[in-house]
Amino acid sequence: MTARWQRTIAGLAALALLAAILLPLSSDGPENRLPANSALLTLTFSAALLFLCAGWMTSPAAIGLGLAGVLLGCGEALLLLGKPGIAGQAGPAFWALVIGTWLAAGLCVTRLAAIKPTRPAARRALDLLVPLLFGAFVLYLWEVAVRGFGVPAVLMPAPSAIMARLAGSLPVLGEDFIQTFVRGVLTGYAIGCSAGLIVAILAHRFAFLGRGLLPLGNFISALPIVGIAPIMVMWFGFDWPSKAAVVAVITFFPMLVNALAGLSAAGAIERDLMRSYGSTYRQTLTRLYLPAAMPFIFNAMKINSTLALIGAIVAEFFGTPTRGMGFRISIEVARMSLDMVWAEITLAALAGMAFYGVVALVERATTFWHPSYRT
Amino acid sequence: MTSSAVTLPRPLPRSRQWLIDRVAPVLVVVGALLVIWYVAAMLMNATMVRDSFEREETPYGIADLIAGTLSGERPVLPAPHQIVASFVDSVVNYPPDSPRSLIYHSAVTLSATLLGFLLGSLFGIVLAVLIIHLRTLEKSLLPWIICSQMVPILAVAPIVIVVLGSIGIRGLLPKSIISAYLCFFPVAIGMVKGLTSPDPMQHDLMRTWSATRTETFWKLRWPSAVPFLFASLKVAITISLIGAIVGELPTGVQAGIGARLLAGSYYGQTVQMWAALLAASLLASNLVWLVSLTERRVARIMGVRT
């Protein structure tokens, strides 16, 4: 971004804040204005000043000043929402404040992203900081938009309401988590992944079987396997075994295809070497084929970690005992309490990311020697 | 030295070799699976058939029992020929606009899938183009897109349907939005990878020709991204179909393959459910085949060496 653009955006942000001082705060009564409250007035002026600093100063420290201004602006908007007569009927001044803060935040994040630190630690920290700031600001915009426009909670609850609901119903969420994740997902995942691996080893040992299974596996991975959920519910009942069965079937094929590709990844020279050592098939398998297949197996395990959670939740749409994440989502949607649904989705998202993260960590710990990690 | 000592076996013609190497194993495995399926169907349905014989107090032999397990009205596991018969029956014997025809249900799901695929792919491409040109977006948005891959997105499906339904948007669009939401991720990720795949040398070459950003995009980045695009599209079209099917579940929509599955599970119509699954599989494989056909066409038009 050129310096000129920078100054323009900072200027616009500051102008928006000045407009916020002049315009009415709520749409019903024009008498409600910012200058009536001297503390808020000071806050607005200092935020505008900090935005101008972020636009005109070239040193990286100016970004910090700008972010401080953004923080002030966000705090002010949240404070205003707490006052009577603004939430649900916010006036032009309020939106001017939000837009000004938005512009300034965009400017700061853009300037942050443009910095190229030479030290790797600083670069990693920056790579973490920029998306976190972005995510936090999106959450803030969501909060402000929902409460400022007075969007009914049955359409879109505010993040604060979701967090409150999340904190307030931890026992229920914990029960759902154990039912869906610990019982359904983990059991099915373990069964599906190990079965896929064993069949892959067999298919690798007997080449004819492999040539028959690979096209079939590729074909079946492209099919909507989630559709077997109602059949599994019929076979294994409403409780968690049916969910584990769906998860096992869904995770089987990616593991089969990937592990088969991985077992064939060992080079001809390595195979010859094992033969020249006179090693048996079992020795070759554990010392050469399986280690060479590790990255592929972990790849399948990562893909499966996402698929497993989806499979279990969708299977619960077809019938469950009165607990479980999918059950809670479908029942609370019908009761229009969307804050609980979002709390459940937050839980699912956290569980999904943690699951993926654990698999990735185990991969790092066990295949650190692989060329793909040495760079 | 003469060559009389060694006689090499004549290589088989290519087509015969292909049959032996590729087709025969698949046929054998499929055949074995079918046999396993029939045996499983006999075993799983046996108790039910035996009970019904004993309830009616008719004497029965092994042959009756086996025939009963393979022709039951509501078997635990229907035999393959029952599924195919039910599928053919619902395709042939009913007009395509009857709610008992699988063509009708498939068409409903297919339209949602295609609309969602179109919206999602376009959105993914636009997002990828923005991301590679704006460093801010790359730094701030891309990590979130990757993170969201680890989130069970289908869990959001009921909310989308209900929320859109309560503001008056019903029918095709909510389902397509779920499909689009599911399939924009692989397209966006694949396209970012593809658009950044030209190496610095090629970029330098473009610079020596003093190409503008637009020219670099259309003459270098876009063509090298096309293979990545099609790889992503193949993933996208299958999960777009899954999204459309799952999108039909929460509201109990009357039409579509997902609704057919749900109705089958409510009324214990196992054969109908398996037939719906068969329809979904046919749909999925045909869609993937269409995408790869387009891929080959485009590759030939663009002059890719094979």
Side-chain angles (χ1 to χ4, degrees):
Chain A
M1 192 161 56
T2 58
R4 192 155 169 198
W5 263 107
Q6 236 179 61
R7 285 200 289 270
T8 317
I9 289 179
L12 281 175
L15 270 183
L17 258 55
L18 289 184
I21 294 172
L22 300 174
L23 292 168
L25 261 175
S26 66
S27 51
D28 60 340
E31 68 279 357
N32 197 354
R33 279 165 196 273
L34 258 185
N37 187 325
S38 59
L40 286 180
L41 197 61
T42 340
L43 214 59
T44 320
F45 268 121
S46 38
L49 211 62
L50 288 171
F51 291 170
L52 290 179
C53 287
W56 261 268
M57 282 161 64
T58 45
S59 83
I63 303 173
L65 291 180
L67 283 177
V70 170
L71 210 62
L72 289 184
C74 292
E76 191 183 345
L78 290 179
L79 266 180
L80 282 173
L81 279 176
K83 289 183 172 299
I86 293 183
Q89 44 199 354
F94 180 79
W95 296 118
L97 179 65
V98 171
I99 290 172
T101 322
W102 185 5
L103 284 175
L107 175 70
C108 290
V109 170
T110 311
R111 284 196 62 182
L112 260 187
I115 297 178
K116 291 180 187 126
T118 43
R119 278 182 307 141
R123 195 178 311 147
R124 262 202 300 280
L126 200 64
D127 279 351
L128 205 64
L129 182 67
V130 170
L132 279 182
L133 281 178
F134 182 82
F137 201 77
V138 168
L139 273 185
Y140 159 77
L141 277 185
W142 177 357
E143 173 89 28
V144 166
V146 166
R147 283 170 65 188
F149 282 117
V151 177
V154 291
L155 281 188
M156 190 60 120
S160 57
I162 296 169
M163 283 304 134
R165 191 61 191 256
L166 187 74
S169 45
L170 279 181
V172 179
L173 289 173
E175 197 190 12
D176 292 345
F177 178 76
I178 289 176
Q179 169 76 11
T180 304
F181 191 81
V182 178
R183 295 200 183 118
V185 171
L186 286 186
T187 319
Y189 184 80
I191 296 174
C193 285
S194 38
L197 186 58
I198 290 170
V199 174
I201 291 174
L202 284 179
H204 178 247
R205 181 84 173 95
F206 306 105
F208 187 81
L209 188 63
R211 279 205 296 267
L213 271 179
L214 193 58
L216 213 64
N218 274 327
F219 173 70
I220 294 180
S221 345
L223 302 183
I225 311 183
V226 180
I228 61 154
I231 293 162
M232 292 299 156
V233 171
M234 241 175 210
W235 285 359
F236 296 100
F238 279 171
D239 213 346
W240 64 268
S242 59
K243 281 75 203 173
V246 175
V247 173
V249 176
I250 288 184
T251 52
F252 176 80
F253 290 100
M255 180 53 101
L256 173 67
V257 172
N258 277 290
L260 205 48
L263 288 170
S264 322
I269 298 177
E270 288 95 336
R271 280 201 305 265
D272 283 350
L273 182 66
M274 293 309 275
R275 200 155 55 218
S276 71
Y277 288 156
S279 67
T280 60
Y281 174 73
R282 184 189 291 263
Q283 284 168 330
T284 318
L285 181 69
T286 51
R287 306 252 158 92
L288 172 61
Y289 291 138
L290 279 181
M294 270 312 187
F296 293 82
I297 292 173
F298 273 109
N299 189 25
M301 282 173 73
K302 281 191 207 157
I303 297 172
N304 281 344
S305 67
T306 323
L307 287 180
L309 207 47
I310 290 179
I313 289 178
V314 171
E316 286 185 351
F317 291 160
F318 285 98
T320 43
T322 54
R323 55 180 185 271
M325 288 152 80
F327 164 78
R328 196 76 57 199
I329 288 174
S330 53
I331 207 82
E332 298 290 344
V333 160
R335 281 166 51 187
M336 286 293 186
S337 58
L338 282 199
D339 48 351
M340 187 64 190
V341 177
W342 277 104
E344 205 71 57
I345 285 173
T346 313
L347 177 67
L350 288 178
M353 282 193 233
F355 196 8
Y356 189 95
V358 166
V359 174
L361 274 184
V362 175
E363 178 180 23
R364 252 173 200 271
T366 51
T367 59
F368 56 89
W369 47 269
H370 195 269
S372 62
Y373 277 106
R374 278 198 303 234
T375 49
Chain B
M1 203 170 146
T2 56
S3 64
S4 61
V6 186
T7 52
L8 287 170
R10 277 244 317 269
L12 287 166
R14 246 177 125 184
S15 56
R16 289 263 316 270
Q17 194 62 47
W18 181 75
L19 269 181
I20 291 170
D21 279 355
R22 294 294 159 95
V23 180
V26 176
L27 286 182
V28 170
V29 169
V30 170
L33 284 182
L34 278 181
V35 170
I36 294 174
W37 190 325
Y38 269 106
V39 173
M42 286 174 203
L43 292 178
M44 289 174 79
N45 302 335
T47 0
M48 208 177 71
V49 176
R50 201 181 297 132
D51 286 351
S52 81
F53 274 131
E54 271 159 14
R55 217 174 19 252
E56 293 162 13
E57 294 173 354
T58 43
Y60 62 93
I62 290 289
D64 296 328
L65 198 60
I66 290 179
T69 55
L70 298 185
S71 61
E73 186 83 351
R74 293 178 179 184
V76 182
L77 174 62
H81 69 262
Q82 282 178 293
I83 299 168
V84 174
S86 162
F87 178 79
V88 171
D89 173 61
S90 65
V91 168
V92 174
N93 291 353
Y94 297 98
D97 56 345
S98 142
R100 303 196 62 169
S101 165
L102 265 179
I103 294 184
Y104 168 71
H105 292 290
S106 301
V108 169
T109 305
L110 181 65
S111 49
T113 306
L114 288 181
L115 184 60
F117 175 66
L118 205 70
L119 292 176
S121 307
L122 279 181
F123 184 57
I125 293 172
V126 169
L127 207 61
V129 172
L130 285 179
I131 282 176
I132 59 147
H133 282 118
L134 298 174
R135 196 176 154 76
T136 318
L137 273 188
E138 182 203 331
K139 285 260 183 175
S140 53
L141 189 59
L142 199 57
W144 288 106
I145 292 185
I146 293 168
C147 255
S148 64
Q149 291 274 58
M150 305 165 207
V151 174
I153 295 155
L154 277 184
V156 191
I159 307 193
V160 176
I161 301 268
V162 169
V163 167
L164 289 181
S166 65
I167 58 172
I169 303 173
R170 282 164 219 277
L172 199 62
L173 201 59
K175 286 191 282 174
S176 313
I177 286 176
I178 293 173
S179 290
Y181 188 40
L182 277 175
C183 72
F184 97 88
F185 288 115
V187 175
I189 299 287
M191 280 304 276
V192 167
K193 217 173 189 175
L195 290 171
T196 49
S197 65
D199 57 40
M201 196 92 98
Q202 290 163 315
H203 277 293
D204 284 350
L205 185 62
M206 293 307 276
R207 203 157 44 224
T208 62
W209 287 332
S210 75
T212 60
R213 252 168 109 130
T214 330
E215 281 168 336
T216 312
F217 180 82
W218 286 115
K219 304 222 157 101
L220 176 62
R221 283 183 187 270
W222 181 257
S224 47
V226 165
F228 291 85
L229 175 65
F230 276 104
S232 307
L233 286 185
K234 271 186 239 170
V235 177
I237 192 106
T238 53
I239 59 175
S240 173
L241 179 63
I242 294 176
I245 291 176
V246 173
E248 285 160 358
L249 297 180
T251 46
V253 192
Q254 295 304 307
I257 290 176
R260 193 90 169 143
L261 279 173
L262 200 62
S265 83
Y266 279 162
Y267 303 116
Q269 297 283 359
T270 40
V271 183
Q272 176 193 318
M273 277 157 73
W274 281 98
L277 269 185
L278 180 62
S281 310
L282 284 178
L283 216 53
S285 43
N286 278 318
L287 287 174
V288 174
W289 173 76
L290 262 181
V291 173
S292 18
L293 194 74
T294 321
E295 180 182 16
R296 278 203 294 275
R297 274 283 169 80
V298 170
R300 199 177 317 146
I301 291 172
M302 289 176 65
V304 173
R305 269 172 293 167
T306 45

